[in-house]
Coordinates of all heavy atoms in Angstrom, one line a residue:
M1 N -16.8 -143.5 -45.3 CA -15.5 -143.2 -45.9 C -15.5 -142.9 -47.4 O -15.0 -142.1 -47.9 CB -14.6 -144.4 -45.6 CG -13.1 -144.0 -46.0 SD -12.4 -142.7 -45.0 CE -10.7 -143.0 -45.4
A2 N -16.3 -143.8 -48.1 CA -16.4 -143.6 -49.6 C -17.2 -142.3 -50.0 O -17.1 -141.9 -51.1 CB -17.1 -144.8 -50.2
G3 N -18.0 -141.8 -49.0 CA -18.6 -140.5 -49.3 C -17.7 -139.3 -49.4 O -18.1 -138.3 -50.0
F4 N -16.6 -139.4 -48.9 CA -15.7 -138.2 -48.9 C -14.9 -138.3 -50.1 O -14.3 -137.2 -50.5 CB -14.7 -138.3 -47.7 CG -15.4 -138.0 -46.4 CD1 -15.6 -139.1 -45.4 CD2 -15.9 -136.8 -46.2 CE1 -16.2 -138.7 -44.2 CE2 -16.5 -136.5 -45.0 CZ -16.7 -137.5 -44.0
I5 N -14.8 -139.3 -50.9 CA -13.9 -139.4 -52.1 C -14.4 -138.4 -53.1 O -13.6 -137.6 -53.7 CB -13.8 -140.8 -52.6 CG1 -13.1 -141.7 -51.6 CG2 -13.1 -140.8 -54.0 CD1 -12.9 -143.1 -52.0
P6 N -15.7 -138.3 -53.4 CA -16.1 -137.3 -54.4 C -15.9 -135.8 -54.0 O -15.5 -135.0 -54.8 CB -17.6 -137.5 -54.6 CG -17.9 -138.9 -54.2 CD -16.8 -139.2 -53.1
L7 N -16.0 -135.6 -52.7 CA -15.7 -134.3 -52.1 C -14.3 -134.0 -52.3 O -14.0 -132.8 -52.7 CB -16.1 -134.2 -50.6 CG -16.1 -132.9 -50.0 CD1 -17.0 -131.9 -50.7 CD2 -16.4 -133.0 -48.5
I8 N -13.4 -134.9 -52.0 CA -11.9 -134.7 -52.1 C -11.6 -134.4 -53.6 O -10.8 -133.5 -54.0 CB -11.2 -135.8 -51.6 CG1 -11.4 -135.8 -50.1 CG2 -9.7 -135.8 -51.9 CD1 -10.8 -137.1 -49.4
L9 N -12.2 -135.2 -54.5 CA -12.0 -135.0 -56.0 C -12.4 -133.7 -56.5 O -11.8 -133.0 -57.3 CB -12.6 -136.1 -56.7 CG -12.0 -137.5 -56.7 CD1 -12.8 -138.5 -57.4 CD2 -10.6 -137.5 -57.1
I10 N -13.6 -133.2 -55.9 CA -14.2 -131.9 -56.4 C -13.2 -130.8 -55.9 O -12.9 -129.8 -56.6 CB -15.6 -131.7 -55.8 CG1 -16.6 -132.6 -56.6 CG2 -16.0 -130.3 -55.9 CD1 -17.9 -132.7 -56.0
F11 N -12.7 -130.9 -54.7 CA -11.8 -130.0 -54.1 C -10.5 -129.9 -55.0 O -9.9 -128.8 -55.2 CB -11.5 -130.1 -52.7 CG -10.6 -129.1 -52.1 CD1 -11.0 -127.8 -51.9 CD2 -9.2 -129.5 -51.9 CE1 -10.1 -126.9 -51.4 CE2 -8.4 -128.5 -51.3 CZ -8.8 -127.2 -51.1
G12 N -10.0 -131.0 -55.2 CA -8.8 -131.2 -56.1 C -8.9 -130.5 -57.4 O -8.1 -129.8 -57.9
L13 N -10.1 -130.9 -58.1 CA -10.4 -130.3 -59.4 C -10.5 -128.7 -59.3 O -10.0 -128.0 -60.2 CB -11.6 -130.9 -60.0 CG -12.0 -130.5 -61.4 CD1 -10.9 -131.1 -62.3 CD2 -13.3 -131.2 -61.8
M14 N -11.2 -128.3 -58.3 CA -11.3 -126.8 -58.1 C -10.0 -126.2 -57.9 O -9.6 -125.1 -58.4 CB -12.2 -126.5 -56.9 CG -12.6 -125.1 -56.8 SD -13.9 -124.8 -55.5 CE -12.8 -125.0 -54.0
Y15 N -9.1 -126.8 -57.1 CA -7.7 -126.2 -56.9 C -7.0 -126.1 -58.3 O -6.3 -125.1 -58.6 CB -7.0 -127.2 -56.0 CG -5.5 -126.7 -55.8 CD1 -5.2 -125.6 -55.0 CD2 -4.5 -127.3 -56.5 CE1 -3.9 -125.2 -54.8 CE2 -3.2 -126.9 -56.3 CZ -2.9 -125.8 -55.5 OH -1.6 -125.4 -55.4
V16 N -7.0 -127.2 -59.0 CA -6.3 -127.3 -60.3 C -6.8 -126.2 -61.4 O -6.1 -125.6 -62.0 CB -6.3 -128.7 -60.9 CG1 -5.7 -128.7 -62.3 CG2 -5.4 -129.6 -60.1
L17 N -8.1 -126.1 -61.3 CA -8.8 -125.2 -62.4 C -9.0 -123.8 -62.0 O -9.0 -122.9 -62.9 CB -10.1 -125.8 -62.8 CG -10.1 -127.1 -63.5 CD1 -11.5 -127.6 -63.8 CD2 -9.3 -127.1 -64.7
M18 N -9.0 -123.5 -60.7 CA -9.3 -122.1 -60.3 C -8.1 -121.5 -59.5 O -7.7 -120.4 -59.7 CB -10.6 -122.1 -59.5 CG -11.8 -122.4 -60.4 SD -13.3 -122.5 -59.5 CE -13.5 -120.8 -59.0
I19 N -7.8 -122.1 -58.4 CA -6.9 -121.5 -57.4 C -5.4 -121.4 -57.9 O -4.8 -120.5 -57.9 CB -6.9 -122.3 -56.0 CG1 -8.3 -122.2 -55.5 CG2 -5.9 -121.8 -55.1 CD1 -8.6 -123.2 -54.3
R20 N -4.9 -122.4 -58.5 CA -3.5 -122.5 -59.0 C -3.3 -121.5 -60.1 O -2.3 -120.8 -60.0 CB -3.2 -123.9 -59.5 CG -1.7 -124.0 -59.7 CD -1.4 -125.6 -59.8 NE 0.0 -125.7 -60.2 CZ 0.5 -126.3 -61.2 NH1 -0.5 -126.9 -62.0 NH2 1.7 -126.4 -61.6
P21 N -4.2 -121.4 -61.1 CA -4.0 -120.3 -62.2 C -4.0 -118.9 -61.6 O -3.2 -118.1 -62.0 CB -5.0 -120.6 -63.2 CG -5.5 -122.0 -62.9 CD -5.2 -122.3 -61.5
Q22 N -4.9 -118.7 -60.6 CA -5.0 -117.4 -60.1 C -3.7 -117.0 -59.2 O -3.3 -115.9 -59.3 CB -6.2 -117.3 -59.1 CG -6.5 -115.9 -58.5 CD -6.8 -114.9 -59.6 OE1 -7.3 -115.2 -60.6 NE2 -6.4 -113.6 -59.4
Q23 N -3.2 -118.0 -58.6 CA -1.9 -117.8 -57.8 C -0.8 -117.4 -58.8 O 0.1 -116.6 -58.5 CB -1.5 -119.0 -57.0 CG -2.4 -119.1 -55.8 CD -2.1 -120.5 -55.0 OE1 -1.5 -121.4 -55.5 NE2 -2.5 -120.5 -53.7
R24 N -0.7 -118.2 -60.0 CA 0.3 -117.9 -60.9 C 0.2 -116.5 -61.5 O 1.2 -115.8 -61.7 CB 0.2 -118.9 -62.1 CG 1.4 -118.8 -63.0 CD 1.4 -119.9 -64.1 NE 0.7 -121.2 -63.6 CZ -0.2 -121.8 -64.4 NH1 -0.6 -121.3 -65.5 NH2 -0.6 -123.0 -64.0
K25 N -1.1 -116.1 -61.7 CA -1.3 -114.7 -62.3 C -0.8 -113.6 -61.3 O -0.3 -112.6 -61.7 CB -2.8 -114.5 -62.6 CG -3.1 -113.3 -63.3 CD -4.6 -113.3 -63.7 CE -5.0 -111.9 -64.3 NZ -6.4 -111.9 -64.7
V26 N -1.1 -113.9 -60.0 CA -0.8 -112.9 -59.0 C 0.8 -112.8 -58.9 O 1.3 -111.7 -58.8 CB -1.3 -113.2 -57.6 CG1 -0.6 -112.5 -56.5 CG2 -2.9 -113.0 -57.6
K27 N 1.5 -113.9 -59.0 CA 2.9 -113.9 -58.9 C 3.5 -113.2 -60.2 O 4.5 -112.4 -60.0 CB 3.6 -115.3 -58.9 CG 3.3 -116.0 -57.5 CD 4.0 -117.4 -57.5 CE 3.7 -118.0 -56.2 NZ 4.3 -119.4 -56.2
E28 N 3.0 -113.4 -61.4 CA 3.4 -112.8 -62.6 C 3.2 -111.2 -62.5 O 4.1 -110.4 -62.8 CB 2.7 -113.3 -63.8 CG 3.1 -114.7 -64.1 CD 2.2 -115.3 -65.3 OE1 1.3 -114.6 -65.7 OE2 2.6 -116.4 -65.7
Q29 N 2.1 -110.8 -61.9 CA 1.8 -109.3 -61.8 C 2.8 -108.8 -60.8 O 3.2 -107.6 -61.0 CB 0.3 -109.2 -61.3 CG 0.0 -107.7 -61.2 CD 0.0 -106.9 -62.5 OE1 -0.1 -107.6 -63.5 NE2 0.0 -105.7 -62.5
Q30 N 3.1 -109.5 -59.7 CA 4.0 -108.9 -58.8 C 5.4 -108.8 -59.3 O 6.1 -107.8 -59.1 CB 4.0 -109.8 -57.4 CG 2.8 -109.7 -56.6 CD 2.8 -110.7 -55.5 OE1 3.6 -111.7 -55.5 NE2 2.0 -110.5 -54.5
A31 N 5.8 -109.7 -60.1 CA 7.1 -109.7 -60.8 C 7.2 -108.5 -61.7 O 8.1 -107.8 -61.8 CB 7.4 -111.0 -61.5
L32 N 6.1 -108.3 -62.5 CA 6.0 -107.2 -63.4 C 6.1 -105.8 -62.6 O 6.9 -105.0 -63.0 CB 4.7 -107.3 -64.2 CG 4.4 -105.9 -65.0 CD1 5.3 -105.8 -66.2 CD2 3.0 -105.8 -65.3
V33 N 5.3 -105.7 -61.7 CA 5.3 -104.4 -60.9 C 6.7 -104.1 -60.3 O 7.1 -103.0 -60.3 CB 4.2 -104.4 -59.8 CG1 4.3 -103.3 -58.8 CG2 2.8 -104.4 -60.5
S34 N 7.3 -105.1 -59.8 CA 8.6 -104.9 -59.1 C 9.7 -104.6 -60.2 O 10.7 -104.0 -59.8 CB 9.0 -106.0 -58.3 OG 9.2 -107.2 -59.0
S35 N 9.5 -105.0 -61.4 CA 10.5 -104.7 -62.5 C 10.4 -103.5 -63.2 O 11.2 -103.2 -64.0 CB 10.5 -105.9 -63.5 OG 9.3 -105.9 -64.3
I36 N 9.4 -102.6 -62.9 CA 9.1 -101.4 -63.6 C 10.2 -100.4 -63.2 O 10.6 -100.3 -62.0 CB 7.7 -100.8 -63.2 CG1 6.7 -101.7 -63.6 CG2 7.6 -99.4 -63.7 CD1 6.5 -101.8 -65.2
S37 N 10.8 -99.8 -64.2 CA 11.8 -98.8 -64.0 C 11.7 -97.5 -64.8 O 10.8 -97.6 -65.7 CB 13.2 -99.4 -64.1 OG 13.4 -99.8 -65.5
A38 N 12.5 -96.6 -64.7 CA 12.4 -95.3 -65.5 C 12.5 -95.7 -66.9 O 13.4 -96.5 -67.3 CB 13.4 -94.3 -65.0
G39 N 11.8 -95.1 -67.7 CA 11.8 -95.3 -69.2 C 10.8 -96.2 -69.7 O 10.6 -96.3 -71.0
D40 N 10.2 -97.0 -68.9 CA 9.2 -98.0 -69.4 C 7.9 -97.4 -69.7 O 7.5 -96.5 -69.0 CB 8.9 -99.0 -68.2 CG 10.1 -100.0 -68.0 OD1 10.9 -100.2 -68.9 OD2 10.1 -100.7 -67.0
E41 N 7.3 -97.8 -70.8 CA 6.0 -97.4 -71.1 C 5.0 -98.4 -70.4 O 5.1 -99.6 -70.7 CB 5.8 -97.3 -72.7 CG 6.7 -96.3 -73.3 CD 6.5 -96.3 -74.7 OE1 5.6 -96.9 -75.3 OE2 7.2 -95.5 -75.4
V42 N 4.0 -97.8 -69.7 CA 3.1 -98.7 -69.0 C 1.7 -98.3 -69.2 O 1.4 -97.2 -69.7 CB 3.4 -98.6 -67.5 CG1 4.8 -99.2 -67.2 CG2 3.3 -97.2 -66.9
V43 N 0.8 -99.2 -68.9 CA -0.7 -99.0 -68.9 C -1.1 -99.1 -67.4 O -0.8 -100.1 -66.8 CB -1.4 -99.9 -69.8 CG1 -2.8 -99.6 -69.8 CG2 -0.9 -99.7 -71.2
L44 N -1.8 -98.1 -66.9 CA -2.4 -98.2 -65.5 C -3.6 -99.0 -65.5 O -4.3 -99.2 -66.6 CB -2.6 -96.8 -64.9 CG -1.3 -95.9 -64.9 CD1 -1.7 -94.6 -64.3 CD2 -0.2 -96.6 -64.1
N45 N -4.1 -99.4 -64.4 CA -5.4 -100.1 -64.2 C -6.5 -99.3 -64.7 O -7.5 -99.8 -65.2 CB -5.6 -100.5 -62.7 CG -4.7 -101.5 -62.2 OD1 -4.2 -102.3 -63.0 ND2 -4.4 -101.4 -61.0
S46 N -6.4 -98.0 -64.7 CA -7.4 -97.1 -65.2 C -7.5 -96.9 -66.7 O -8.3 -96.2 -67.2 CB -7.3 -95.6 -64.5 OG -6.0 -95.1 -64.9
G47 N -6.5 -97.4 -67.4 CA -6.4 -97.4 -68.8 C -5.5 -96.2 -69.3 O -5.5 -95.9 -70.5
I48 N -4.9 -95.5 -68.4 CA -4.0 -94.4 -68.8 C -2.6 -95.0 -69.3 O -2.0 -95.7 -68.6 CB -3.8 -93.4 -67.6 CG1 -5.1 -92.8 -67.3 CG2 -2.8 -92.4 -68.0 CD1 -5.1 -91.9 -66.0
F49 N -2.2 -94.4 -70.4 CA -0.9 -94.8 -70.9 C 0.2 -93.7 -70.5 O -0.2 -92.5 -70.5 CB -0.9 -94.9 -72.4 CG -1.6 -96.0 -73.0 CD1 -3.0 -96.1 -73.0 CD2 -0.9 -97.1 -73.6 CE1 -3.7 -97.2 -73.5 CE2 -1.6 -98.2 -74.1 CZ -3.0 -98.3 -74.1
G50 N 1.4 -94.1 -70.2 CA 2.4 -93.2 -69.9 C 3.7 -93.7 -69.9 O 3.9 -95.0 -69.9
R51 N 4.7 -93.0 -69.7 CA 6.1 -93.4 -69.5 C 6.6 -93.1 -68.1 O 6.4 -91.9 -67.7 CB 6.9 -92.6 -70.6 CG 8.4 -93.0 -70.4 CD 9.2 -92.5 -71.6 NE 8.5 -93.1 -72.7 CZ 9.0 -93.0 -74.0 NH1 10.0 -92.4 -74.3 NH2 8.3 -93.6 -74.9
V52 N 7.2 -94.0 -67.5 CA 7.8 -93.8 -66.2 C 9.0 -92.9 -66.2 O 10.0 -93.2 -66.9 CB 8.2 -95.2 -65.5 CG1 8.8 -94.9 -64.2 CG2 7.0 -96.0 -65.5
N53 N 8.9 -91.7 -65.6 CA 10.0 -90.8 -65.6 C 11.0 -91.1 -64.5 O 12.2 -91.1 -64.7 CB 9.6 -89.4 -65.5 CG 9.2 -88.8 -66.8 OD1 9.5 -89.3 -67.8 ND2 8.5 -87.6 -66.8
E54 N 10.4 -91.4 -63.4 CA 11.3 -91.7 -62.2 C 10.6 -92.5 -61.1 O 9.3 -92.4 -61.0 CB 12.0 -90.5 -61.6 CG 10.9 -89.6 -60.9 CD 11.6 -88.4 -60.3 OE1 12.3 -88.5 -59.3 OE2 11.3 -87.2 -60.8
V55 N 11.4 -93.2 -60.4 CA 10.8 -93.9 -59.2 C 11.1 -92.9 -58.0 O 12.3 -92.5 -57.8 CB 11.5 -95.3 -59.0 CG1 11.0 -95.9 -57.7 CG2 11.2 -96.2 -60.2
D56 N 10.1 -92.6 -57.2 CA 10.3 -91.7 -56.1 C 11.4 -92.2 -55.1 O 11.4 -93.4 -54.7 CB 9.0 -91.5 -55.3 CG 9.0 -90.3 -54.5 OD1 10.0 -89.8 -54.2 OD2 7.9 -89.8 -54.1
G57 N 12.4 -91.4 -54.8 CA 13.5 -91.8 -53.9 C 13.0 -92.1 -52.6 O 13.6 -92.9 -51.9
D58 N 12.1 -91.3 -52.1 CA 11.6 -91.4 -50.7 C 10.8 -92.7 -50.5 O 10.8 -93.3 -49.4 CB 10.8 -90.2 -50.3 CG 11.7 -88.9 -50.3 OD1 12.9 -89.1 -50.1 OD2 11.1 -87.8 -50.4
D59 N 10.0 -93.0 -51.4 CA 9.1 -94.1 -51.4 C 9.2 -94.9 -52.7 O 8.6 -94.4 -53.8 CB 7.6 -93.6 -51.2 CG 6.7 -94.8 -50.9 OD1 7.1 -96.0 -50.9 OD2 5.5 -94.5 -50.7
P60 N 9.8 -96.0 -52.8 CA 10.0 -96.8 -54.0 C 8.7 -97.4 -54.5 O 8.6 -97.8 -55.7 CB 10.9 -97.9 -53.6 CG 10.9 -98.0 -52.1 CD 10.5 -96.8 -51.6
N61 N 7.5 -97.2 -53.8 CA 6.3 -97.7 -54.3 C 5.5 -96.7 -55.1 O 4.4 -96.9 -55.6 CB 5.3 -98.1 -53.1 CG 5.9 -99.4 -52.5 OD1 6.3 -100.3 -53.1 ND2 5.8 -99.5 -51.2
V62 N 6.1 -95.4 -55.2 CA 5.5 -94.4 -56.0 C 6.3 -94.1 -57.2 O 7.6 -94.0 -57.3 CB 5.6 -93.0 -55.1 CG1 5.1 -91.8 -55.9 CG2 4.7 -93.2 -53.8
L63 N 5.6 -94.0 -58.3 CA 6.2 -93.7 -59.7 C 5.7 -92.3 -60.2 O 4.5 -92.0 -60.0 CB 5.7 -94.7 -60.7 CG 6.1 -96.2 -60.3 CD1 5.4 -97.1 -61.4 CD2 7.6 -96.4 -60.3
W64 N 6.5 -91.6 -60.9 CA 6.1 -90.4 -61.6 C 6.0 -90.9 -63.1 O 7.0 -91.2 -63.7 CB 7.2 -89.3 -61.4 CG 7.1 -88.8 -60.0 CD1 7.9 -89.1 -59.0 CD2 6.2 -87.7 -59.6 NE1 7.5 -88.3 -57.9 CE2 6.5 -87.5 -58.3 CE3 5.3 -87.0 -60.2 CZ2 5.8 -86.5 -57.5 CZ3 4.5 -86.0 -59.5 CH2 4.9 -85.8 -58.2
I65 N 4.8 -90.7 -63.6 CA 4.5 -91.1 -65.0 C 4.1 -89.9 -65.9 O 3.2 -89.2 -65.4 CB 3.4 -92.2 -65.0 CG1 3.9 -93.4 -64.2 CG2 3.0 -92.5 -66.4 CD1 2.9 -94.5 -64.2
E66 N 4.8 -89.7 -66.9 CA 4.5 -88.6 -67.9 C 3.4 -89.1 -68.8 O 3.7 -90.1 -69.6 CB 5.7 -88.1 -68.6 CG 5.4 -87.0 -69.5 CD 6.7 -86.4 -70.1 OE1 7.7 -87.1 -70.1 OE2 6.7 -85.3 -70.6
V67 N 2.2 -88.4 -68.8 CA 1.1 -88.9 -69.7 C 1.0 -88.0 -70.9 O 0.4 -88.4 -71.9 CB -0.2 -89.0 -69.0 CG1 -0.2 -90.0 -67.9 CG2 -0.5 -87.6 -68.3
Y68 N 1.6 -86.8 -70.9 CA 1.6 -85.9 -71.9 C 2.9 -85.0 -71.8 O 3.4 -85.0 -70.7 CB 0.4 -85.1 -72.0 CG 0.2 -84.3 -73.3 CD1 -0.2 -84.8 -74.5 CD2 0.3 -82.8 -73.2 CE1 -0.3 -84.0 -75.5 CE2 0.1 -82.1 -74.3 CZ -0.1 -82.7 -75.5 OH -0.3 -81.9 -76.7
D69 N 3.3 -84.3 -72.8 CA 4.5 -83.4 -72.6 C 4.3 -82.5 -71.4 O 3.5 -81.6 -71.5 CB 4.7 -82.6 -73.9 CG 5.2 -83.5 -75.0 OD1 5.8 -84.6 -74.8 OD2 5.0 -83.1 -76.2
G70 N 5.1 -82.6 -70.4 CA 5.1 -81.8 -69.2 C 4.0 -82.1 -68.2 O 3.9 -81.4 -67.2
V71 N 3.2 -83.1 -68.5 CA 2.1 -83.5 -67.6 C 2.5 -84.8 -66.9 O 2.7 -85.9 -67.6 CB 0.8 -83.6 -68.2 CG1 -0.3 -84.1 -67.3 CG2 0.4 -82.4 -68.9
E72 N 2.8 -84.8 -65.6 CA 3.2 -86.0 -64.8 C 2.1 -86.3 -63.8 O 1.5 -85.4 -63.1 CB 4.5 -85.7 -64.1 CG 5.7 -85.8 -65.1 CD 7.0 -85.7 -64.3 OE1 6.9 -85.3 -63.1 OE2 8.0 -86.1 -64.9
L73 N 1.9 -87.6 -63.6 CA 1.1 -88.1 -62.6 C 1.9 -88.9 -61.5 O 2.8 -89.6 -61.9 CB 0.0 -89.1 -63.1 CG -0.9 -88.5 -64.2 CD1 -1.8 -89.7 -64.6 CD2 -1.8 -87.4 -63.5
K74 N 1.5 -88.8 -60.3 CA 2.2 -89.5 -59.2 C 1.3 -90.6 -58.8 O 0.2 -90.5 -58.5 CB 2.4 -88.6 -58.0 CG 3.1 -89.2 -56.8 CD 3.2 -88.3 -55.7 CE 4.0 -88.8 -54.5 NZ 4.1 -87.9 -53.4
V75 N 1.7 -91.9 -59.1 CA 0.9 -93.1 -59.0 C 1.6 -94.1 -58.1 O 2.9 -94.1 -58.0 CB 0.4 -93.7 -60.3 CG1 -0.4 -92.7 -61.1 CG2 1.6 -94.1 -61.1
L76 N 0.8 -95.0 -57.5 CA 1.4 -96.1 -56.9 C 1.8 -97.2 -57.9 O 1.3 -97.3 -58.9 CB 0.3 -96.7 -55.9 CG 0.0 -96.0 -54.7 CD1 -1.1 -96.7 -53.9 CD2 1.2 -95.9 -53.8
R77 N 2.9 -97.8 -57.5 CA 3.5 -98.8 -58.4 C 2.5 -100.0 -58.6 O 2.4 -100.5 -59.7 CB 4.7 -99.4 -57.7 CG 5.5 -100.4 -58.6 CD 6.7 -101.0 -57.8 NE 7.8 -100.0 -57.7 CZ 8.8 -99.9 -58.5 NH1 8.9 -100.8 -59.5 NH2 9.7 -99.0 -58.4
S78 N 1.6 -100.3 -57.6 CA 0.7 -101.3 -57.8 C -0.5 -100.9 -58.8 O -1.2 -101.8 -59.2 CB 0.0 -101.6 -56.5 OG -0.6 -100.5 -55.9
A79 N -0.5 -99.7 -59.2 CA -1.6 -99.2 -60.2 C -1.2 -99.7 -61.6 O -2.0 -99.5 -62.5 CB -1.8 -97.8 -60.1
V80 N 0.1 -100.1 -61.8 CA 0.4 -100.5 -63.2 C -0.2 -101.9 -63.5 O -0.1 -102.9 -62.8 CB 2.0 -100.6 -63.2 CG1 2.5 -101.2 -64.5 CG2 2.6 -99.3 -63.0
D81 N -0.9 -101.9 -64.6 CA -1.5 -103.1 -65.1 C -0.6 -103.9 -65.9 O -0.5 -105.1 -65.8 CB -2.8 -102.7 -65.9 CG -3.6 -104.0 -66.2 OD1 -3.8 -104.8 -65.4 OD2 -4.1 -104.0 -67.5
R82 N 0.1 -103.3 -66.9 CA 1.0 -104.0 -67.7 C 2.0 -103.0 -68.3 O 1.9 -101.8 -68.4 CB 0.3 -104.7 -68.9 CG -0.4 -103.9 -69.9 CD -1.1 -104.8 -70.9 NE -1.7 -104.0 -71.9 CZ -3.0 -103.6 -72.0 NH1 -3.7 -103.9 -71.0 NH2 -3.4 -102.9 -73.0
R83 N 3.1 -103.6 -68.9 CA 4.1 -102.9 -69.5 C 3.7 -102.8 -71.0 O 3.4 -103.8 -71.6 CB 5.6 -103.5 -69.4 CG 6.6 -102.8 -70.1 CD 8.0 -103.4 -69.9 NE 8.4 -103.3 -68.5 CZ 8.8 -104.4 -67.7 NH1 8.7 -105.6 -68.2 NH2 9.3 -104.2 -66.5
F84 N 3.8 -101.6 -71.6 CA 3.4 -101.4 -72.9 C 4.5 -101.8 -74.0 O 4.4 -102.3 -75.0 CB 2.9 -100.0 -73.2 CG 2.2 -99.7 -74.5 CD1 1.1 -100.4 -74.8 CD2 2.8 -98.9 -75.4 CE1 0.4 -100.1 -76.0 CE2 2.2 -98.7 -76.7 CZ 1.0 -99.3 -76.9
N85 N 5.8 -101.6 -73.5 CA 7.0 -101.9 -74.3 C 7.7 -103.1 -73.6 O 7.5 -103.4 -72.5 CB 7.8 -100.7 -74.5 CG 8.5 -100.3 -73.2 OD1 7.9 -100.5 -72.1 ND2 9.6 -99.5 -73.2
E86 N 8.5 -103.7 -74.4 CA 9.3 -104.8 -73.9 C 10.5 -104.2 -73.2 O 11.0 -103.2 -73.7 CB 9.7 -105.7 -75.0 CG 8.5 -106.5 -75.6 CD 7.9 -107.4 -74.6 OE1 8.6 -108.1 -73.8 OE2 6.6 -107.4 -74.5
P87 N 11.0 -104.9 -72.1 CA 12.2 -104.3 -71.5 C 13.4 -104.4 -72.4 O 13.5 -105.4 -73.2 CB 12.3 -105.2 -70.2 CG 11.5 -106.4 -70.6 CD 10.5 -106.0 -71.5
V88 N 14.3 -103.5 -72.3 CA 15.5 -103.5 -73.1 C 16.6 -104.1 -72.5 O 16.9 -103.8 -71.4 CB 15.9 -101.9 -73.5 CG1 17.1 -102.0 -74.3 CG2 14.7 -101.2 -74.2
M89 N 17.2 -105.1 -73.1 CA 18.3 -105.9 -72.5 C 19.6 -105.3 -73.1 O 19.8 -105.1 -74.3 CB 18.2 -107.4 -72.9 CG 16.8 -108.0 -72.4 SD 16.7 -108.0 -70.7 CE 17.6 -109.3 -70.2
D90 N 20.5 -105.0 -72.1 CA 21.8 -104.6 -72.6 C 22.7 -105.7 -72.9 O 23.1 -106.5 -72.0 CB 22.4 -103.7 -71.5 CG 21.7 -102.4 -71.3 OD1 21.0 -102.0 -72.2 OD2 21.7 -101.8 -70.2
D91 N 23.1 -105.8 -74.2 CA 24.1 -106.8 -74.5 C 25.4 -106.2 -74.8 O 25.5 -105.2 -75.5 CB 23.6 -107.5 -75.9 CG 22.4 -108.4 -75.6 OD1 22.2 -108.8 -74.4 OD2 21.6 -108.7 -76.6
D92 N 26.5 -106.8 -74.3 CA 27.9 -106.3 -74.5 C 28.5 -107.1 -75.6 O 29.7 -107.0 -75.8 CB 28.6 -106.4 -73.2 CG 28.2 -105.5 -72.1 OD1 27.6 -104.5 -72.5 OD2 28.3 -105.8 -71.0
T93 N 27.8 -107.9 -76.4 CA 28.3 -108.7 -77.5 C 28.2 -108.0 -78.9 O 27.9 -108.6 -79.8 CB 27.6 -110.0 -77.5 OG1 26.2 -109.8 -77.8 CG2 27.7 -110.8 -76.3
D94 N 28.5 -106.7 -78.9 CA 28.4 -105.9 -80.2 C 29.6 -106.2 -81.1 O 30.7 -106.3 -80.9 CB 28.3 -104.4 -80.0 CG 27.0 -104.0 -79.4 OD1 26.0 -104.6 -79.8 OD2 27.1 -103.2 -78.4

C-alpha cells in the first residue's frame, strides 16, 4: 500500500504542472476564436496578419480576412492564433 503513495503523488504533481495549465490554455483559445468578429485584426497560425471583413453566413466557422487592399483569404476560424487589436467595448456613458 505504501508503494502506491509516491506514484499517486507523481501523478498529482504531473496534473498540477502539465495537464491543468494546458486545459486552461485550450479554453482561452476557444474563447478567443469564438469571440472573433468583423473588424478584428488577427494573426493566423501561419503568421499572416489581416483584418476580418466578414464571417461567412453559410458557415460560421469560415472567416474572410483582408491581408492587403483588395486581397482576401478564406480561412477557418480555428486558424486564428491571436487577436492583434483589443476588442472595442461600446460604452453608453458619454
